[in-house]
Amino acid sequence: MNKLLTTVFISMLFLLQFTGQAQDLSRNPKLQERISQAKLVEISKALVLSEDKMKALTPIYKRYETEKNEITFPRQGRLLRTNPDSLSAEEADKLITAQLDNAIKISTIRRKYYNEFKTVLTPQQVFKLYKSEAQLNRKVMQELRRRLRNRTGK
């Protein structure tokens, strides 16, 4: 069951990366909800939370996810695929500035929700939540790389 959820989660995030319409999750609330649910299942397992704690955490986490999903990464894929030497100084500057701006936005959201998460979780559990998110993101990136390699035959 865990493998199935992970596969579904990774597949959904993969689709988000490569479909123009899905990049704006507000256009696809069902997909946004499924991704959020899959993340919550993984976080619940990582934090070993009771049902009551999960009920209290879920609305906070969904708001947190919604705010994070509102940040657009229009050139993120390009940044990962581009040879830096092929960019003009202006193009490189724009890509880096956009990436830094988004990092600030995400950091601001995380700081804002830290206090809300602490109403349900201990600081150690919030730490684990952020760590779980990072691990989920790493899994998604590994899966994306694997699929890209399979697609290109490298």
Side-chain angles (χ1 to χ4, degrees):
M1 181 70 170
N2 188 24
K3 253 187 171 180
L4 176 63
L5 280 175
T6 302
T7 303
V8 169
F9 176 70
I10 289 172
S11 298
M12 287 185 292
L13 286 177
F14 179 78
L15 290 172
L16 285 177
Q17 293 291 327
F18 294 103
T19 59
Q21 181 183 14
Q23 284 181 357
D24 181 7
L25 284 177
S26 63
R27 292 185 199 167
N28 199 336
K30 288 182 182 178
L31 180 59
Q32 183 178 7
E33 179 62 26
R34 285 187 291 183
I35 291 171
S36 183
Q37 284 304 117
K39 283 184 171 184
L40 282 165
V41 166
E42 293 298 317
I43 288 167
S44 174
K45 288 178 185 175
L47 299 176
V48 191
L49 296 177
S50 69
E51 199 171 314
D52 290 339
K53 289 265 188 185
M54 275 310 296
K55 283 182 183 178
L57 177 65
T58 297
I60 299 169
Y61 188 80
K62 285 184 178 183
R63 286 193 317 272
Y64 166 74
E65 278 290 296
T66 299
E67 280 194 43
K68 282 190 345 178
N69 290 336
E70 289 172 359
I71 299 172
T72 58
F73 295 88
R75 297 181 181 153
Q76 190 69 33
R78 180 176 176 209
L79 182 65
L80 295 173
R81 292 186 308 271
T82 301
N83 177 352
D85 297 329
S86 70
L87 298 172
S88 70
E90 184 179 310
E91 289 173 319
D93 184 58
K94 284 181 182 178
L95 287 170
I96 292 168
T97 302
Q99 183 183 31
L100 292 171
D101 289 344
N102 285 333
I104 290 168
K105 290 175 187 174
I106 288 173
S107 179
T108 302
I109 291 168
R110 288 179 78 181
R111 178 168 296 280
K112 172 185 170 184
Y113 279 90
Y114 173 63
N115 290 322
E116 286 195 53
F117 288 141
K118 284 194 319 183
T119 64
V120 177
L121 305 172
T122 66
Q124 293 88 343
Q125 287 174 315
V126 176
F127 185 84
K128 285 180 184 179
L129 179 136
Y130 288 151
K131 190 174 177 179
S132 295
E133 271 193 320
Q135 289 171 339
L136 288 169
N137 290 337
R138 233 183 337 273
K139 284 181 187 178
V140 169
M141 290 307 294
Q142 288 171 347
E143 179 66 14
L144 289 173
R145 282 189 208 107
R146 185 188 67 76
R147 289 181 185 211
L148 273 172
R149 276 192 302 266
N150 288 345
R151 188 184 312 163
T152 60
K154 291 184 180 179

mmCIF file with all atom_site columns, all heavy atoms in Angstrom, residues 70-87:
data_model
loop_
_atom_site.group_PDB
_atom_site.id
_atom_site.type_symbol
_atom_site.label_atom_id
_atom_site.label_alt_id
_atom_site.label_comp_id
_atom_site.label_asym_id
_atom_site.label_entity_id
_atom_site.label_seq_id
_atom_site.pdbx_PDB_ins_code
_atom_site.Cartn_x
_atom_site.Cartn_y
_atom_site.Cartn_z
_atom_site.occupancy
_atom_site.B_iso_or_equiv
_atom_site.pdbx_formal_charge
_atom_site.auth_seq_id
_atom_site.auth_comp_id
_atom_site.auth_asym_id
_atom_site.auth_atom_id
_atom_site.pdbx_PDB_model_num
ATOM 1   N N   . GLU A 1 70 ? 0.819  28.390 -4.771  1.00 0.00 ? 70 GLU A N   1
ATOM 2   C CA  . GLU A 1 70 ? 0.554  29.633 -5.484  1.00 0.00 ? 70 GLU A CA  1
ATOM 3   C C   . GLU A 1 70 ? 1.834  30.266 -6.029  1.00 0.00 ? 70 GLU A C   1
ATOM 4   O O   . GLU A 1 70 ? 1.779  31.141 -6.878  1.00 0.00 ? 70 GLU A O   1
ATOM 5   C CB  . GLU A 1 70 ? -0.182 30.623 -4.576  1.00 0.00 ? 70 GLU A CB  1
ATOM 6   C CG  . GLU A 1 70 ? -1.614 30.199 -4.318  1.00 0.00 ? 70 GLU A CG  1
ATOM 7   C CD  . GLU A 1 70 ? -2.315 31.044 -3.275  1.00 0.00 ? 70 GLU A CD  1
ATOM 8   O OE1 . GLU A 1 70 ? -1.689 31.981 -2.710  1.00 0.00 ? 70 GLU A OE1 1
ATOM 9   O OE2 . GLU A 1 70 ? -3.499 30.768 -3.006  1.00 0.00 ? 70 GLU A OE2 1
ATOM 10  N N   . ILE A 1 71 ? 2.967  29.808 -5.537  1.00 0.00 ? 71 ILE A N   1
ATOM 11  C CA  . ILE A 1 71 ? 4.248  30.307 -6.050  1.00 0.00 ? 71 ILE A CA  1
ATOM 12  C C   . ILE A 1 71 ? 4.498  29.620 -7.383  1.00 0.00 ? 71 ILE A C   1
ATOM 13  O O   . ILE A 1 71 ? 4.430  28.399 -7.482  1.00 0.00 ? 71 ILE A O   1
ATOM 14  C CB  . ILE A 1 71 ? 5.392  30.003 -5.060  1.00 0.00 ? 71 ILE A CB  1
ATOM 15  C CG1 . ILE A 1 71 ? 5.138  30.700 -3.733  1.00 0.00 ? 71 ILE A CG1 1
ATOM 16  C CG2 . ILE A 1 71 ? 6.739  30.417 -5.652  1.00 0.00 ? 71 ILE A CG2 1
ATOM 17  C CD1 . ILE A 1 71 ? 6.101  30.295 -2.645  1.00 0.00 ? 71 ILE A CD1 1
ATOM 18  N N   . THR A 1 72 ? 4.791  30.410 -8.403  1.00 0.00 ? 72 THR A N   1
ATOM 19  C CA  . THR A 1 72 ? 5.041  29.828 -9.725  1.00 0.00 ? 72 THR A CA  1
ATOM 20  C C   . THR A 1 72 ? 6.538  29.719 -9.968  1.00 0.00 ? 72 THR A C   1
ATOM 21  O O   . THR A 1 72 ? 7.310  30.572 -9.554  1.00 0.00 ? 72 THR A O   1
ATOM 22  C CB  . THR A 1 72 ? 4.394  30.670 -10.842 1.00 0.00 ? 72 THR A CB  1
ATOM 23  O OG1 . THR A 1 72 ? 4.926  32.001 -10.765 1.00 0.00 ? 72 THR A OG1 1
ATOM 24  C CG2 . THR A 1 72 ? 2.883  30.700 -10.698 1.00 0.00 ? 72 THR A CG2 1
ATOM 25  N N   . PHE A 1 73 ? 6.907  28.666 -10.615 1.00 0.00 ? 73 PHE A N   1
ATOM 26  C CA  . PHE A 1 73 ? 8.294  28.424 -10.975 1.00 0.00 ? 73 PHE A CA  1
ATOM 27  C C   . PHE A 1 73 ? 8.388  28.348 -12.496 1.00 0.00 ? 73 PHE A C   1
ATOM 28  O O   . PHE A 1 73 ? 8.618  27.286 -13.060 1.00 0.00 ? 73 PHE A O   1
ATOM 29  C CB  . PHE A 1 73 ? 8.798  27.116 -10.355 1.00 0.00 ? 73 PHE A CB  1
ATOM 30  C CG  . PHE A 1 73 ? 8.839  27.151 -8.863  1.00 0.00 ? 73 PHE A CG  1
ATOM 31  C CD1 . PHE A 1 73 ? 7.732  26.792 -8.104  1.00 0.00 ? 73 PHE A CD1 1
ATOM 32  C CD2 . PHE A 1 73 ? 9.985  27.564 -8.217  1.00 0.00 ? 73 PHE A CD2 1
ATOM 33  C CE1 . PHE A 1 73 ? 7.779  26.831 -6.725  1.00 0.00 ? 73 PHE A CE1 1
ATOM 34  C CE2 . PHE A 1 73 ? 10.039 27.601 -6.833  1.00 0.00 ? 73 PHE A CE2 1
ATOM 35  C CZ  . PHE A 1 73 ? 8.939  27.238 -6.091  1.00 0.00 ? 73 PHE A CZ  1
ATOM 36  N N   . PRO A 1 74 ? 8.199  29.481 -13.172 1.00 0.00 ? 74 PRO A N   1
ATOM 37  C CA  . PRO A 1 74 ? 8.081  29.452 -14.624 1.00 0.00 ? 74 PRO A CA  1
ATOM 38  C C   . PRO A 1 74 ? 9.310  28.952 -15.361 1.00 0.00 ? 74 PRO A C   1
ATOM 39  O O   . PRO A 1 74 ? 9.203  28.378 -16.422 1.00 0.00 ? 74 PRO A O   1
ATOM 40  C CB  . PRO A 1 74 ? 7.781  30.901 -14.992 1.00 0.00 ? 74 PRO A CB  1
ATOM 41  C CG  . PRO A 1 74 ? 8.309  31.698 -13.859 1.00 0.00 ? 74 PRO A CG  1
ATOM 42  C CD  . PRO A 1 74 ? 8.144  30.833 -12.640 1.00 0.00 ? 74 PRO A CD  1
ATOM 43  N N   . ARG A 1 75 ? 10.480 29.143 -14.791 1.00 0.00 ? 75 ARG A N   1
ATOM 44  C CA  . ARG A 1 75 ? 11.703 28.755 -15.509 1.00 0.00 ? 75 ARG A CA  1
ATOM 45  C C   . ARG A 1 75 ? 12.509 27.710 -14.750 1.00 0.00 ? 75 ARG A C   1
ATOM 46  O O   . ARG A 1 75 ? 13.647 27.453 -15.075 1.00 0.00 ? 75 ARG A O   1
ATOM 47  C CB  . ARG A 1 75 ? 12.558 29.985 -15.751 1.00 0.00 ? 75 ARG A CB  1
ATOM 48  C CG  . ARG A 1 75 ? 11.870 30.999 -16.626 1.00 0.00 ? 75 ARG A CG  1
ATOM 49  C CD  . ARG A 1 75 ? 12.754 32.185 -16.851 1.00 0.00 ? 75 ARG A CD  1
ATOM 50  N NE  . ARG A 1 75 ? 12.061 33.149 -17.672 1.00 0.00 ? 75 ARG A NE  1
ATOM 51  C CZ  . ARG A 1 75 ? 12.288 34.425 -17.643 1.00 0.00 ? 75 ARG A CZ  1
ATOM 52  N NH1 . ARG A 1 75 ? 13.191 34.916 -16.832 1.00 0.00 ? 75 ARG A NH1 1
ATOM 53  N NH2 . ARG A 1 75 ? 11.625 35.245 -18.425 1.00 0.00 ? 75 ARG A NH2 1
ATOM 54  N N   . GLN A 1 76 ? 11.925 27.133 -13.714 1.00 0.00 ? 76 GLN A N   1
ATOM 55  C CA  . GLN A 1 76 ? 12.670 26.197 -12.880 1.00 0.00 ? 76 GLN A CA  1
ATOM 56  C C   . GLN A 1 76 ? 13.174 25.009 -13.689 1.00 0.00 ? 76 GLN A C   1
ATOM 57  O O   . GLN A 1 76 ? 14.320 24.602 -13.547 1.00 0.00 ? 76 GLN A O   1
ATOM 58  C CB  . GLN A 1 76 ? 11.802 25.718 -11.718 1.00 0.00 ? 76 GLN A CB  1
ATOM 59  C CG  . GLN A 1 76 ? 12.551 24.944 -10.672 1.00 0.00 ? 76 GLN A CG  1
ATOM 60  C CD  . GLN A 1 76 ? 13.513 25.800 -9.884  1.00 0.00 ? 76 GLN A CD  1
ATOM 61  O OE1 . GLN A 1 76 ? 13.275 26.955 -9.642  1.00 0.00 ? 76 GLN A OE1 1
ATOM 62  N NE2 . GLN A 1 76 ? 14.626 25.225 -9.495  1.00 0.00 ? 76 GLN A NE2 1
ATOM 63  N N   . GLY A 1 77 ? 12.320 24.419 -14.518 1.00 0.00 ? 77 GLY A N   1
ATOM 64  C CA  . GLY A 1 77 ? 12.744 23.285 -15.335 1.00 0.00 ? 77 GLY A CA  1
ATOM 65  C C   . GLY A 1 77 ? 13.868 23.662 -16.266 1.00 0.00 ? 77 GLY A C   1
ATOM 66  O O   . GLY A 1 77 ? 14.830 22.919 -16.452 1.00 0.00 ? 77 GLY A O   1
ATOM 67  N N   . ARG A 1 78 ? 13.763 24.837 -16.832 1.00 0.00 ? 78 ARG A N   1
ATOM 68  C CA  . ARG A 1 78 ? 14.816 25.306 -17.735 1.00 0.00 ? 78 ARG A CA  1
ATOM 69  C C   . ARG A 1 78 ? 16.125 25.463 -16.976 1.00 0.00 ? 78 ARG A C   1
ATOM 70  O O   . ARG A 1 78 ? 17.199 25.122 -17.484 1.00 0.00 ? 78 ARG A O   1
ATOM 71  C CB  . ARG A 1 78 ? 14.407 26.627 -18.377 1.00 0.00 ? 78 ARG A CB  1
ATOM 72  C CG  . ARG A 1 78 ? 15.450 27.154 -19.325 1.00 0.00 ? 78 ARG A CG  1
ATOM 73  C CD  . ARG A 1 78 ? 15.003 28.417 -20.022 1.00 0.00 ? 78 ARG A CD  1
ATOM 74  N NE  . ARG A 1 78 ? 16.103 28.896 -20.824 1.00 0.00 ? 78 ARG A NE  1
ATOM 75  C CZ  . ARG A 1 78 ? 16.309 30.152 -21.125 1.00 0.00 ? 78 ARG A CZ  1
ATOM 76  N NH1 . ARG A 1 78 ? 15.455 31.067 -20.713 1.00 0.00 ? 78 ARG A NH1 1
ATOM 77  N NH2 . ARG A 1 78 ? 17.341 30.510 -21.840 1.00 0.00 ? 78 ARG A NH2 1
ATOM 78  N N   . LEU A 1 79 ? 16.051 25.987 -15.778 1.00 0.00 ? 79 LEU A N   1
ATOM 79  C CA  . LEU A 1 79 ? 17.249 26.196 -14.973 1.00 0.00 ? 79 LEU A CA  1
ATOM 80  C C   . LEU A 1 79 ? 17.977 24.877 -14.730 1.00 0.00 ? 79 LEU A C   1
ATOM 81  O O   . LEU A 1 79 ? 19.198 24.809 -14.811 1.00 0.00 ? 79 LEU A O   1
ATOM 82  C CB  . LEU A 1 79 ? 16.888 26.854 -13.640 1.00 0.00 ? 79 LEU A CB  1
ATOM 83  C CG  . LEU A 1 79 ? 18.032 27.181 -12.692 1.00 0.00 ? 79 LEU A CG  1
ATOM 84  C CD1 . LEU A 1 79 ? 18.950 28.235 -13.297 1.00 0.00 ? 79 LEU A CD1 1
ATOM 85  C CD2 . LEU A 1 79 ? 17.495 27.671 -11.368 1.00 0.00 ? 79 LEU A CD2 1
ATOM 86  N N   . LEU A 1 80 ? 17.222 23.820 -14.480 1.00 0.00 ? 80 LEU A N   1
ATOM 87  C CA  . LEU A 1 80 ? 17.830 22.524 -14.192 1.00 0.00 ? 80 LEU A CA  1
ATOM 88  C C   . LEU A 1 80 ? 18.449 21.878 -15.436 1.00 0.00 ? 80 LEU A C   1
ATOM 89  O O   . LEU A 1 80 ? 19.389 21.110 -15.332 1.00 0.00 ? 80 LEU A O   1
ATOM 90  C CB  . LEU A 1 80 ? 16.788 21.586 -13.581 1.00 0.00 ? 80 LEU A CB  1
ATOM 91  C CG  . LEU A 1 80 ? 16.242 21.998 -12.213 1.00 0.00 ? 80 LEU A CG  1
ATOM 92  C CD1 . LEU A 1 80 ? 15.098 21.078 -11.816 1.00 0.00 ? 80 LEU A CD1 1
ATOM 93  C CD2 . LEU A 1 80 ? 17.331 22.004 -11.160 1.00 0.00 ? 80 LEU A CD2 1
ATOM 94  N N   . ARG A 1 81 ? 17.887 22.171 -16.605 1.00 0.00 ? 81 ARG A N   1
ATOM 95  C CA  . ARG A 1 81 ? 18.345 21.531 -17.843 1.00 0.00 ? 81 ARG A CA  1
ATOM 96  C C   . ARG A 1 81 ? 19.392 22.339 -18.598 1.00 0.00 ? 81 ARG A C   1
ATOM 97  O O   . ARG A 1 81 ? 20.008 21.834 -19.528 1.00 0.00 ? 81 ARG A O   1
ATOM 98  C CB  . ARG A 1 81 ? 17.162 21.302 -18.783 1.00 0.00 ? 81 ARG A CB  1
ATOM 99  C CG  . ARG A 1 81 ? 16.154 20.293 -18.323 1.00 0.00 ? 81 ARG A CG  1
ATOM 100 C CD  . ARG A 1 81 ? 15.104 20.024 -19.392 1.00 0.00 ? 81 ARG A CD  1
ATOM 101 N NE  . ARG A 1 81 ? 14.474 21.218 -19.921 1.00 0.00 ? 81 ARG A NE  1
ATOM 102 C CZ  . ARG A 1 81 ? 13.389 21.816 -19.436 1.00 0.00 ? 81 ARG A CZ  1
ATOM 103 N NH1 . ARG A 1 81 ? 12.796 21.310 -18.380 1.00 0.00 ? 81 ARG A NH1 1
ATOM 104 N NH2 . ARG A 1 81 ? 12.886 22.884 -19.995 1.00 0.00 ? 81 ARG A NH2 1
ATOM 105 N N   . THR A 1 82 ? 19.583 23.587 -18.253 1.00 0.00 ? 82 THR A N   1
ATOM 106 C CA  . THR A 1 82 ? 20.407 24.491 -19.041 1.00 0.00 ? 82 THR A CA  1
ATOM 107 C C   . THR A 1 82 ? 21.874 24.417 -18.665 1.00 0.00 ? 82 THR A C   1
ATOM 108 O O   . THR A 1 82 ? 22.226 24.381 -17.486 1.00 0.00 ? 82 THR A O   1
ATOM 109 C CB  . THR A 1 82 ? 19.908 25.945 -18.859 1.00 0.00 ? 82 THR A CB  1
ATOM 110 O OG1 . THR A 1 82 ? 18.553 26.011 -19.266 1.00 0.00 ? 82 THR A OG1 1
ATOM 111 C CG2 . THR A 1 82 ? 20.709 26.916 -19.681 1.00 0.00 ? 82 THR A CG2 1
ATOM 112 N N   . ASN A 1 83 ? 22.703 24.439 -19.686 1.00 0.00 ? 83 ASN A N   1
ATOM 113 C CA  . ASN A 1 83 ? 24.138 24.563 -19.497 1.00 0.00 ? 83 ASN A CA  1
ATOM 114 C C   . ASN A 1 83 ? 24.403 26.040 -19.199 1.00 0.00 ? 83 ASN A C   1
ATOM 115 O O   . ASN A 1 83 ? 24.087 26.895 -20.027 1.00 0.00 ? 83 ASN A O   1
ATOM 116 C CB  . ASN A 1 83 ? 24.871 24.119 -20.761 1.00 0.00 ? 83 ASN A CB  1
ATOM 117 C CG  . ASN A 1 83 ? 26.368 24.291 -20.658 1.00 0.00 ? 83 ASN A CG  1
ATOM 118 O OD1 . ASN A 1 83 ? 26.889 24.877 -19.714 1.00 0.00 ? 83 ASN A OD1 1
ATOM 119 N ND2 . ASN A 1 83 ? 27.065 23.777 -21.657 1.00 0.00 ? 83 ASN A ND2 1
ATOM 120 N N   . PRO A 1 84 ? 24.987 26.359 -18.046 1.00 0.00 ? 84 PRO A N   1
ATOM 121 C CA  . PRO A 1 84 ? 25.201 27.768 -17.684 1.00 0.00 ? 84 PRO A CA  1
ATOM 122 C C   . PRO A 1 84 ? 25.997 28.542 -18.726 1.00 0.00 ? 84 PRO A C   1
ATOM 123 O O   . PRO A 1 84 ? 25.797 29.734 -18.915 1.00 0.00 ? 84 PRO A O   1
ATOM 124 C CB  . PRO A 1 84 ? 25.970 27.696 -16.365 1.00 0.00 ? 84 PRO A CB  1
ATOM 125 C CG  . PRO A 1 84 ? 25.730 26.333 -15.840 1.00 0.00 ? 84 PRO A CG  1
ATOM 126 C CD  . PRO A 1 84 ? 25.463 25.454 -17.019 1.00 0.00 ? 84 PRO A CD  1
ATOM 127 N N   . ASP A 1 85 ? 26.906 27.861 -19.423 1.00 0.00 ? 85 ASP A N   1
ATOM 128 C CA  . ASP A 1 85 ? 27.731 28.543 -20.422 1.00 0.00 ? 85 ASP A CA  1
ATOM 129 C C   . ASP A 1 85 ? 26.935 28.950 -21.662 1.00 0.00 ? 85 ASP A C   1
ATOM 130 O O   . ASP A 1 85 ? 27.397 29.787 -22.434 1.00 0.00 ? 85 ASP A O   1
ATOM 131 C CB  . ASP A 1 85 ? 28.912 27.653 -20.828 1.00 0.00 ? 85 ASP A CB  1
ATOM 132 C CG  . ASP A 1 85 ? 29.848 27.385 -19.657 1.00 0.00 ? 85 ASP A CG  1
ATOM 133 O OD1 . ASP A 1 85 ? 29.962 28.262 -18.775 1.00 0.00 ? 85 ASP A OD1 1
ATOM 134 O OD2 . ASP A 1 85 ? 30.443 26.290 -19.620 1.00 0.00 ? 85 ASP A OD2 1
ATOM 135 N N   . SER A 1 86 ? 25.742 28.365 -21.838 1.00 0.00 ? 86 SER A N   1
ATOM 136 C CA  . SER A 1 86 ? 24.938 28.706 -23.009 1.00 0.00 ? 86 SER A CA  1
ATOM 137 C C   . SER A 1 86 ? 24.047 29.927 -22.773 1.00 0.00 ? 86 SER A C   1
ATOM 138 O O   . SER A 1 86 ? 23.376 30.384 -23.685 1.00 0.00 ? 86 SER A O   1
ATOM 139 C CB  . SER A 1 86 ? 24.076 27.509 -23.424 1.00 0.00 ? 86 SER A CB  1
ATOM 140 O OG  . SER A 1 86 ? 23.061 27.292 -22.462 1.00 0.00 ? 86 SER A OG  1
ATOM 141 N N   . LEU A 1 87 ? 24.026 30.436 -21.557 1.00 0.00 ? 87 LEU A N   1
ATOM 142 C CA  . LEU A 1 87 ? 23.185 31.571 -21.213 1.00 0.00 ? 87 LEU A CA  1
ATOM 143 C C   . LEU A 1 87 ? 23.943 32.891 -21.326 1.00 0.00 ? 87 LEU A C   1
ATOM 144 O O   . LEU A 1 87 ? 25.141 32.953 -21.036 1.00 0.00 ? 87 LEU A O   1
ATOM 145 C CB  . LEU A 1 87 ? 22.686 31.445 -19.771 1.00 0.00 ? 87 LEU A CB  1
ATOM 146 C CG  . LEU A 1 87 ? 21.813 30.267 -19.415 1.00 0.00 ? 87 LEU A CG  1
ATOM 147 C CD1 . LEU A 1 87 ? 21.581 30.220 -17.910 1.00 0.00 ? 87 LEU A CD1 1
ATOM 148 C CD2 . LEU A 1 87 ? 20.493 30.329 -20.159 1.00 0.00 ? 87 LEU A CD2 1
#
